[in-house]
Amino acid sequence: MYILAIETSCDETACAIVENGTKEIVSVIASSKELHEATGGIVPEIAARKQMEFMVPVLEQTLDKFSKYFANANYSRDDLISKIDAIAVTVGPGLIGSLLIGIEAAKSLALAWDKPLIPVNHLVGHIYANFIERDFEKNITFPAVALVVSGGHTDLVLIKSHGNFEYLGGTMDDAAGEAYDKTARLLGLAKYLGGAELSKLAATCDNNVAAGVLPRPLLKDPNYDFSFSGLKTAVKRLVESNKYSANVVACEFETSVVDVLVTKTVKAALSSGAKQILLGGGVSANKNLRTRLTTEAKIKGVTTFVPEFDLCTDNAVYIAAAAYFTGQSYLNNKVDFTKVIPNPSLGVMDKLAV
Ligand code: KG4
Ligand code: ZN
């Protein structure tokens, strides 16, 4: 089964075609990130206008690449369209103007081509990036614990079966990615989305002489909640004290975030009997987090799955995977298009408005 998915929740305009939820056939991404770097933060109006500008060219490229995939078959455009079984689209969370463009494009295609439409939660999509198989077959079994760490969210959920989640905990204030971005800005590394830059700087520190200086928020609390806004303030004070070089501050900040994320995620897996952990979201591209989670879970007999680097940040491949594994009910019961609307504040546990 081929699903064509569209993702436009923020500043990426992405389209992908995935076979049976696991095999990436085509992925196209256009981004307006550079424009937001210039303004030091995302301007929603500009992001939405760029989505509109990019949407049709991205769709055209996707269909061209799909045609090349079947190069020997010499398919007509109609033949290609008949190969697509469903259209999936991100309905939230995200910026309303950006989401609208993708949703209306998806509805139009579903209507014109007479295909089922599958609404997808972006956060669930991040988790399903783990199901894409490239070099090896992934044997993901349930129950599994999923940690979603993105720019706007930090959520820990127990997956009992496809689409059947139990909420374990989440951030009470800033998301992990947000803390990374704000700290990167404070250190003058990037004005917008500085997580990767901060992490690169942290990697240049081979002796963390500030070890333990920053707090490990809620580390010892018995629940699975997180809080990163106090950490951000503590980093600010540390920088202002001028006691440590920037790479030491970056290293101590990253160690604090990773300590908390890894400890709570492994604990959640052990107490819920999950034998597998799925990491997802933009921050899952963080090498330190990937390595420590994998190593520390393994010691306890738990296997960790992490998405390939290019599948950590926003793309439409994982939206198609999530649609395949969690949206099969939409194949036979066609959704009422008027109910597929953007939901900017959709949470990981929220039911889609259908
Ligand atoms: O999932 P994502 O692409 O967008 C949202 O859905 O929010 O996540 C973006 C977040 C940003 O906060 C970015 O700084 C962070 O992921 N990020 C990283 C790394 N790469 C991206 N944070 C830490 N280390 C990285 N290597
Ligand atoms: Zn995302």
Side-chain angles (χ1 to χ4, degrees), residues 112-125:
W113 295 347
D114 192 24
K115 308 282 179 190
L117 180 66
I118 307 178
V120 176
N121 182 326
H122 179 86
L123 301 171
V124 174

Side-chain angles (χ1 to χ4, degrees), residues 152-220:
H153 295 81
T154 304
D155 290 309
L156 204 48
V157 295
L158 178 66
I159 309 181
K160 297 173 175 175
S161 59
H162 284 300
N164 178 9
F165 299 168
E166 180 186 325
Y167 188 71
L168 299 176
T171 187
M172 303 193 303
D173 39 58
D174 288 359
E178 201 176 341
Y180 261 97
D181 295 337
K182 287 177 177 165
T183 304
R185 178 190 279 254
L186 190 73
L187 293 174
L189 299 173
K191 286 200 271 176
Y192 176 59
L193 302 186
E197 282 78 4
L198 180 70
S199 192
K200 265 186 223 143
L201 180 66
T204 65
C205 165
D206 45 22
N207 180 17
N208 179 7
V209 288
V213 166
L214 288 175
R216 271 55 176 165
L218 306 186
L219 182 72
K220 300 236 158 68

Side-chain angles (χ1 to χ4, degrees), residues 7 9-10 12 93 122-123 126 148-152 281-282 312-315 318:
E7 150 66 42
S9 64
C10 191
E12 265 92 25
H122 179 86
L123 301 171
H126 272 304
V148 185
V149 267
S150 71
C312 292
T313 42
D314 293 348
N315 64 82
Y318 61 63

Side-chain angles (χ1 to χ4, degrees), residues 29-105:
I29 307 176
S31 175
S32 62
K33 187 170 179 269
E34 279 173 23
L35 292 172
H36 312 300
E37 270 159 8
T39 47
I42 191 149
V43 180
E45 170 76 17
I46 292 178
R49 282 169 186 258
K50 285 287 158 188
Q51 292 285 3
M52 206 165 72
E53 196 181 301
F54 293 156
M55 190 73 258
V56 169
V58 164
L59 281 169
E60 275 181 322
Q61 259 197 52
T62 303
L63 291 175
D64 283 353
K65 288 190 172 181
F66 196 39
S67 146
K68 288 196 180 105
Y69 177 70
F70 294 113
N72 296 334
N74 215 2
Y75 284 145
S76 68
R77 179 59 62 93
D78 281 350
D79 294 334
L80 272 183
I81 292 168
S82 71
K83 294 240 138 234
I84 296 168
D85 296 285
I87 311 293
V89 67
T90 301
V91 294
L95 302 169
I96 191 156
S98 291
L99 288 165
L100 264 172
I101 308 297
I103 291 173
E104 291 310 304

